[in-house]
């Protein structure tokens, strides 16, 4: 593998400086990674940020505003709404509300309550420019899965395997090797203390430490069990527990634990796969929640000024919009993203078990 990108969802510059993390501290190059200007110092959704990161397109073009909104379609009031949202004299929470309720309700298809689908995004994802294959695990807004060069496992907000009406894995034959009774995806089997005051923050963190380990295991297995693993030029694996855990607490010990687990799991993946280069990215940081945000059991909240990148090479990133061009440059691909896709060939459900095993062998698995 030439380049492995590891998503550290919500990893925060101030925390990374304060906590002792052997893998992160070993990276020679790092810096701040900021969203596009509209979201600076307000709020950005995880789905919006990762879609910008992996397409090189701004949100109005890639259409993903947030997990709880349909695709962005624009509106005559979008200009004035964005103007108000950028007034830095207004409190951050007010500007965030203007974006979520203004743009979210009037300028998206279906408004609040809908959720973005992979097929709403009209652009190629970064690995689709490569001639070789990719192993992509847990990328947000990648459900339903589609035929692509390599293997794709859907990330948040994909449903659980029981709820899913379409395959969570492309090619679909791999779904039984990724999901089983021990692994049902990025979800942990308990409600967040944010929504359920009977859940302890410690137990929630424990579940996320286990989940982080399990995602690392599945990723390593998918890579190691593949007969032609040299085929994978590019890798992406999402470790999203920092985001979930920090939303539920301000406890320093708990926060350190989930960072350490993420750092350890990353080290393990790197040691097993041994890619030429590594790039760690976060979609936003976390910081104190607004004192105006009441009625919810929230610990920390998204802070768009504290996102980070770190890598083994000087990727020179400043904005999320820089990531896809930098990766294409790394691979020597002379194309300016974003490029439109020719459409999505969705992965179909296949249930014939014999055919599944034959196809698995064809794919390089025994
Ligand atoms: Zn996030």
């Amino acid at each position: 593998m030439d380049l492995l990108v590891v998503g550290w969802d919500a990893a925060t510059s101030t925390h990374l400086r304060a906590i002792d993390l052997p893998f992160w501290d070993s990276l020679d190059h790092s810096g701040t990674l900021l969203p596009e200007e509209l979201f600076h110092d307000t709020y950005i959704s995880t789905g919006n940020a990762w879609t910008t990161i992996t397409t090189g397109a701004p949100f109005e073009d890639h259409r993903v505003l947030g997990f709880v909104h349909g695709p962005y379609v624009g509106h005559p009031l979008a200009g004035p709404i964005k103007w108000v949202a950028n007034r830095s004299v207004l409190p951050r929470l007010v500007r965030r509300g203007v974006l979520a309720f203004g743009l979210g309700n009037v300028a998206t298809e279906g408004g609040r309550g809908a959720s973005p689908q992979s097929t709403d995004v009209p652009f190629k994802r970064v690995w689709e420019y490569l001639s070789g294959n990719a192993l992509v695990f847990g990328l947000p807004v990648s459900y339903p899965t589609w035929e692509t060069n390599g293997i794709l496992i859907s990330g948040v907000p994909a449903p659980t395997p029981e709820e899913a009406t379409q395959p969570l894995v492309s090619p679909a034959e791999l779904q039984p090797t990724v999901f089983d009774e021990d692994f049902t995806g990025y979800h942990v089997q308990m409600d967040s203390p944010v929504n359920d005051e009977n859940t302890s923050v410690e137990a929630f963190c424990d579940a996320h430490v286990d989940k982080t380990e399990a995602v690392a295991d599945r990723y390593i297995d998918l890579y190691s069990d593949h007969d032609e693993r040299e085929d994978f030029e590019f890798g992406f694996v999402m470790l999203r527990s920092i985001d979930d855990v920090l939303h539920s607490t301000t406890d320093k010990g708990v926060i350190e634990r989930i960072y350490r687990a993420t750092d350890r799991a990353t080290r393990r993946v790197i040691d097993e796969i041994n890619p030429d280069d590594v790039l760690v990215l976060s979609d936003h940081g976390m910081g104190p929640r607004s004192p105006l945000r009441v009625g919810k059991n929230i610990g920390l909240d998204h802070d768009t000024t504290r996102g980070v990148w770190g890598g083994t090479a000087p990727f020179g990133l400043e904005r999320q919009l820089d990531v896809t061009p930098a990766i294409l440059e790394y691979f020597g691909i002379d194309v300016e993203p974003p490029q439109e896709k020719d459409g999505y060939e969705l992965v179909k459900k296949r249930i014939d078990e014999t055919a599944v095993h034959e196809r698995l062998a064809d794919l390089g698995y025994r």
Side-chain angles (χ1 to χ4, degrees), residues 8-11 44-47 49-50 67 140 238 240 242-244 247 282-286 302:
W8 282 17
D9 207 298
I44 194 164
S45 150
T46 294
W50 286 109
F67 290 139
M238 172 64 86
R240 52 164 289 102
I242 294 172
D243 196 326
D244 283 354
H247 270 304
S282 77
D283 51 341
H284 51 80
M286 297 294 274
H302 294 195

Side-chain angles (χ1 to χ4, degrees), residues 210-241:
D210 292 348
K211 180 62 69 180
T212 301
E213 291 294 326
V215 168
D217 287 341
R218 295 285 146 148
Y219 194 78
I220 291 167
D221 288 349
L222 272 171
Y223 179 83
S224 311
D225 294 348
H226 199 270
D227 288 344
E228 285 148 69
R229 39 189 174 271
E230 316 65 53
D231 273 9
F232 295 123
E233 283 187 342
F234 175 83
F236 176 91
V237 58
M238 172 64 86
L239 302 175
R240 52 164 289 102
S241 289

Side-chain angles (χ1 to χ4, degrees), residues 49-102:
W50 286 109
T51 310
T52 297
I53 289 169
T54 52
T55 60
F59 102 96
E60 280 179 57
D61 295 339
H62 68 57
R63 309 173 72 210
V64 180
L65 178 64
F67 290 139
V68 294
H69 297 108
Y72 184 78
V73 285
H75 189 276
L77 285 175
I81 290 168
K82 287 188 283 183
W83 186 85
V84 174
N86 270 343
R87 294 308 98 193
S88 51
V89 290
L90 296 173
R92 191 190 277 189
L93 193 74
V94 171
R95 290 184 283 133
R96 172 181 175 165
V98 167
L99 285 177
F101 293 100

Side-chain angles (χ1 to χ4, degrees), residues 1 3-6 133-136 219 232-237:
M1 190 177 280
L3 177 64
L4 175 63
V5 177
V6 187
N133 284 328
L135 180 55
V136 177
Y219 194 78
F232 295 123
E233 283 187 342
F234 175 83
F236 176 91
V237 58

